[in-house]
Amino acid sequence: MKAPVSTAIAIAFGLIVLLGYFIPLPLFNALRDILLEWAIVLAGVAVFVGVANLFLVHGRKISRSQPGSGYSYVVIIAMLATIIVAALFGPTGYWSLWLFKNIQVPVETSLIGVLAIILVYAAARLLRRKLNLFSIIFFATVLVVLLGSVPLLGIEIPGLHGEFGLRSLLIQLPAVAGARGILLGVALGALAAGIRVLMGVDRPYGG
Amino acid sequence: MAADMAELRCPMCGKANPEELDVCQFCQARLKPVLPSAPIPEDEQAAVEGSSRLPEPAAQDDSLSDWLNFLRDSGAESEGPPAESGGEDQPPPAGELPQWLERTGGEASEPVGEGDSQDWLDSLRKRGEEITGPLGQETVPEESMDEDWPASVKLPDQDYVPEWLAGASLGDQAGEPLAEPPSEEESSLESDDEPDWLQKIRLRQRDETEESQSVESAPAEEPGMPDWLGEPASGVPAAPDEPAESVSDWLADLRSGGAPVGEEVELPEAPATGEELPAAEQELEQPLEETPAPPPEILEEAAAPVLGAAEEIPTAPQISDEEIPDWLAGLVAGKAAAAAAGSVEADAESLPDWLADLDKPSDADSGVIVPFGEEEPGLTFDWLQEQVRADQGLAVPPPESSEAEEVQAEKITPFVGDLSDFLEEEYLSTPEGERPPAAQPEEGLTPAELPNWLEAMRPLDAAAMSAAVLDEGESQIESSGPLAGLRGILPAEPDVARLKKPPTYAMRLQVSESQQANANLLDELVKTEGQPRAVRMGAAITSQHVWRLIIFVVLIGVIIWKALTGSQEVALPQPLPEILDTGSVIGALPSNSVVLLAVDYEPGFSGEMKATSAAVIDHLMLKGAYFALVSTSPAGVGLAEQLIQDASALGGHQYQVIDRYANLGYIPGGPMGVVGFANAPRKMTPFALDVDSTAVWSREPLQRVTRLADFDLVAVLTEDADTARVWIEQVQPALDSTPLVMLLSAQAEPMVRPYYQSSSNQVQGMVAGLLGGGSYESAHQDLLAGDGPARRYWDAFSLSMLAAVILIALGGLVSLLTQALASRDTSEGEKKS
Amino acid sequence: MNYMDLLTSQGAVGLAFVVIFFFLVIILAAAGRSRSVQNLREIQAFAKLGRAIGLAVEAGKRMHITLGWGGMIDLRGSSALVGLTVLERIARLASISDRPPVATSGEGVLGVLSQDTVSGTYKSIGAGFQYNPAAGRVTGLSPLSYAVGALPVIYDEHVSATVLAGHFGSEGALITDAAERSGSLSLAGSDSITAQSVFVASAQEPLIGEELYAAGAYINSGLIHVSSVRAQDVFRWVLIIAILVGAVMKMLGLL
């Protein structure tokens, strides 16, 4: 068996947390809380791990002079600058907020704008990519919801807009119902994935 | 070396043979020459001396030597017994076959002494005469015959029946009746060993014995001479006398006298019936092997050089007994007279020269071995050719070119297979001056005349021909073995030692056009394998780029236009229930309430979230609420700070940190962090991010908050439906009566609405997207002075939304038309096909 | 302690649900061991995935697996687990390729786990020397920055196919759009409804609903994966029946 110690720890702790959720015993509750606190701490540390990984990846790219290493210089410089500023002025200091407000927010907002264009293009090419009944239904639903989202030139079309319009009806009934069903399936899948981890079949921690 | 030592090279074809073989396995030539120095057993010497030995055809290995022995013996018979041989041949006892004939039973031929070399030579000459005669050739004039023919050869008597025809012993005296046919036992024993031709002749003779009556009996033959030639020469055992009845007519003519010179004489008839003679003659012509007689065609072809290549050799006509050539008859009579006189010089006018010379002492008598072809010019068959040509008025071809012409005419190629063409071409393509010189006969010497059948069997080598065969200057006279005395024999011994140019083979591959084409194709494939194929670059501008550009231009154009114009023509939407409920919840808050504000959206959604939540935040600020800011995302800390400052500035509320709000920071762990915060908020966020007042929980108004339910309102700002669900599912159970309001992005509304609309009423208010924000602003006109972000964005938002719908619909329509056209083209193509 | 209250509490019901599911997986795995062929519903996306792996190996190109930005400590981690399973399988199949597969993620824990998965896979096949730490990399710490950070991998590293398996938001459309621009295959699945709706419009092979969780069964990760998919189907029917019965009982006023 690959990584037997890691597997044993994963199975043991998983069972403890699971029992702690379903069996309201003080012992299980106490253990569960302790383990969850450890997990929260580890999750916080994982942010630093992510930062370190990001730094190493771009540093390796620079050292090997791979294509696009110029952007890696920008990433590392920006990272270091932000860390330094936040460390000096605090995360909510003026300059920290200035960097956040004038660099990060505009950059990500523009990316969302690009995303909007991409989604419109994707919707426009949907029928060209695959033409079947479900694609047509999807396409029509997109149009109805978009049209019903805002009054057309200030005019609310009865039957389309309003609380009982077609848009509200589509959102509240088939969309939500379908989403619920998908979520149930996702929940079952998540349960199966968790069971496989508890059984030791899935070992993402394999060394 | 050991292998070479174990192999023998054939003197005829030059190929290697195992040592244990006596005859070449390729050309059947003898590998091991019969050594002349080997002593002859005493009991056999008499038989050797007194008989003309016929080759013993039993063993295939000795076939070559047998016919040579026969020839030799026939010559020795005419000359008399050799010096070293003792005693005269005694006639075989009655009932027994002649020794020479007995030897045809298959035993290996006895080694012949050198003194007998001339005997076989004489036999060769006789054999040649026999060949030419029955084949319809014109007879050689008597004079030339007389000149060439050795004196030892005596003409048989009229009544003489050739031993080889009658089966009689050579030791018999001339005129003696033929020996009785051997008993059946003897015949059965001998018939197994005798060649077929000999057997047929015996049978024929037996039949003719009774018929022939008019044949004049030839004078007594000297011992040693073939019967059919008449009296043998001195010292030569006399041929047995044959009954006159058994001698063929043409032999009878021989005894009566030869035909006049120049007179064309038809071919003499064979002793037997005419139709049998050619076969018999043919059988005589196969001395080498016990194989069936070559067909007449081959004999005719072999005889062609004698007459000339251009001449057609007429087939042997059926000659009746009455048509015995006079010359042959005269020959016999003349010779008989000469023999009776004991003088070699017979009537020169009546006898051909070759016959006249029969009694002349030859070199063989004196024991001197004369190489074949050098003893007298007349001893070769060339004399016969010349005589015939002269009679016919044909040009005599130069002897030195006869063989070369023959080779050229026949284009004999020594090679088989594809290489033969190449070498033949190469040989023929070489200028004549560079070709190997043809054999040049020495002056005064007549080249050796081999029988036609032997000539045809001789292996030809383009290289060796020039060096070993054609070049008569290098040819040497064989001094030992069965071919002793012959010129032009491929030397076996010297060949082994002499460096011989090996046959050359063409290096050029014989390939056909299709093979060459395939080879070229394979070569191209191999060459192109290493060459990288040029990658065909796609078009720089495709429909993708065009569509994206159009969408960008339209959307951006509309938004910029509306933003620049600042128009607010489009009315805000009517308040929705969830908007009203949210307003009610906030309106019901007491003054100086503590509101937990969870900012869990990404910076990219800050624009929408700002438009969505600006009015609600302003409403809360108007209520004097104290904000506790938390976030489960690292960027939420800054977003929360930014949100409050922007709302404060927009509404003119002068909200300051610590006094009016506290930023509790980042909650790690996602849902677990939310659960932990819900259970113990102080424990999860013990400090504020403000450097001046970190101990925020000890200050008012957060001092009274110990658990989540102590907050007056919990508002969650998120763009992610899952985050909203986590807050709802994990926090709401701990809220008790504290209301929960969700400020969402439009994409998260569908998933959160059930929580709002369910009977459990887990969410008391919900504002979703720009529509919700605009609706909230329209419901509370006093908020933000009626000029909130939603109001400013509303015109651009609605127009851009309409443009997006139009673009999507247009794209779908184009896609449908394209698909329809493509399917129509496909169906038309299928129909056409 | 009142054990009756304990047994009738919601926790017990939930625990029983989990235990029954566990034993059902084992029973179905034992029953399925005798079958030579596992009959599963055909999902075209996984068929194309197998072909894409082969083509990538033959063409000397790279497979790109992106695991999203969901952490391992919440519900979003389940889709990330599936993504790691897919990564392990692809790494095993494409280990002979000139360009080994690369995994990108938007979260630190996922980055570490992706490196660990690739390393363990190479060690198991005796090719530990092939492991490169750059095979598992964090491209950003926020969803949008992660998505944008993954674009250079698609454009510059000769990617023949991109597999999105994890938790995504609407920013997943940036990745699928980049895959379409570069002419590579995009196979996308997520537990997020928002991401699924975006993938239906933008990805070449979207995975709807719990099809992502069946990835292990379709890529031959093991018998337990197949049996867990069958157990999901069984429980799905159980839930359907339970919902219908509950709705009827509610209508009848029994609940």
Side-chain angles (χ1 to χ4, degrees), chain B residues 572 575 579-587 615-616 618-619 622 772-788:
Chain B
L572 289 174
I579 302 301
L580 297 174
D581 291 341
T582 303
S584 302
V585 167
I586 294 174
V616 175
D618 186 69
H619 194 183
L622 287 176
S775 176
Y776 200 90
E777 289 182 10
S778 74
H780 302 87
Q781 295 291 334
D782 55 337
L783 298 175
L784 300 174
D787 190 25

Side-chain angles (χ1 to χ4, degrees), chain B residues 295-650:
Chain B
E297 294 78 14
I298 295 179
L299 294 175
E300 294 172 3
E301 291 178 3
V306 179
L307 295 178
E311 279 190 336
E312 291 185 4
I313 304 172
T315 56
Q318 301 297 327
I319 304 172
S320 61
D321 294 342
E322 292 77 12
E323 296 177 351
I324 298 174
D326 295 337
W327 66 270
L328 201 55
L331 280 176
V332 173
K335 250 339 180 182
S343 168
V344 178
E345 297 292 337
D347 188 359
E349 296 180 355
S350 62
L351 286 177
D353 297 338
W354 60 274
L355 277 179
D357 294 336
L358 283 178
D359 293 333
K360 288 182 182 176
S362 63
D363 295 338
D365 298 338
S366 60
V368 176
I369 301 208
V370 179
F372 180 77
E374 292 183 357
E375 48 290 274
E376 287 182 11
L379 293 181
T380 62
F381 290 139
D382 290 341
W383 58 268
L384 192 59
Q385 296 179 35
E386 295 170 358
Q387 285 294 329
V388 171
R389 290 179 196 278
D391 291 339
Q392 291 180 350
L394 297 173
V396 179
E400 63 273 9
S401 63
S402 60
E403 294 181 349
E405 286 183 356
E406 177 183 345
V407 171
Q408 281 194 358
E410 295 181 7
K411 289 197 174 183
I412 297 173
T413 57
F415 305 103
V416 294
D418 295 334
L419 296 172
S420 61
D421 299 334
F422 165 73
L423 288 171
E424 181 180 338
E425 291 177 7
E426 186 170 316
Y427 176 74
L428 296 176
S429 63
T430 53
E432 294 189 0
E434 297 177 4
R435 288 183 190 173
Q440 297 291 338
E442 296 180 3
E443 294 182 355
L445 291 177
T446 309
E449 184 62 31
L450 294 177
N452 297 333
W453 52 268
L454 188 60
E455 187 80 20
M457 291 174 59
R458 187 171 67 179
L460 299 175
D461 185 346
M465 186 186 305
S466 60
V469 177
L470 300 179
D471 186 7
E472 291 191 356
E474 295 181 3
S475 64
Q476 57 184 8
I477 300 174
E478 187 66 23
S479 60
S480 62
L483 303 180
L486 293 178
R487 185 197 298 276
I489 302 300
L490 295 174
E493 295 177 358
D495 254 357
V496 174
R498 187 198 312 175
L499 291 177
K500 183 178 176 181
K501 182 181 177 182
T504 57
Y505 298 97
M507 297 301 292
R508 186 182 67 186
L509 275 178
Q510 300 290 328
V511 292
S512 62
E513 290 185 3
S514 63
Q515 290 174 338
Q516 187 66 37
N518 290 335
N520 293 336
L521 180 62
L522 182 61
D523 187 32
E524 289 180 10
L525 287 173
V526 172
K527 284 180 182 177
T528 56
E529 186 65 25
Q531 299 173 358
R533 285 190 297 178
V535 179
R536 190 174 63 180
M537 300 299 293
I541 298 178
T542 61
S543 62
Q544 277 191 26
H545 302 86
V546 175
W547 267 108
R548 294 173 199 270
L549 194 63
I550 292 173
I551 293 171
F552 170 75
V553 169
V554 169
L555 294 179
I556 294 298
V558 168
I559 293 172
I560 290 175
W561 171 51
K562 282 295 180 182
L564 291 177
T565 56
S567 65
Q568 296 181 3
E569 299 170 356
V570 180
L572 289 174
Q574 293 299 318
L576 295 171
E578 59 270 18
I579 302 301
L580 297 174
D581 291 341
T582 303
S584 302
V585 167
I586 294 174
L589 288 176
S591 55
N592 300 324
S593 58
V594 178
V595 177
L596 178 63
L597 198 62
V599 182
D600 276 341
Y601 61 87
E602 295 299 320
F605 292 87
S606 58
E608 182 188 13
M609 294 307 298
K610 180 180 177 181
T612 302
S613 61
V616 175
I617 300 299
D618 186 69
H619 194 183
L620 288 170
M621 287 182 176
L622 287 176
K623 292 296 288 185
Y626 186 91
F627 294 103
L629 304 176
V630 293
S631 177
T632 59
S633 69
V637 174
L639 287 172
E641 194 76 24
Q642 190 71 38
L643 179 67
I644 295 300
Q645 292 181 4
D646 290 344
S648 172
L650 190 63

Side-chain angles (χ1 to χ4, degrees), chain B residues 730-741:
Chain B
Q730 302 300 330
V731 171
Q732 200 280 327
L735 292 178
D736 295 338
S737 60
T738 302
L740 178 62
V741 174

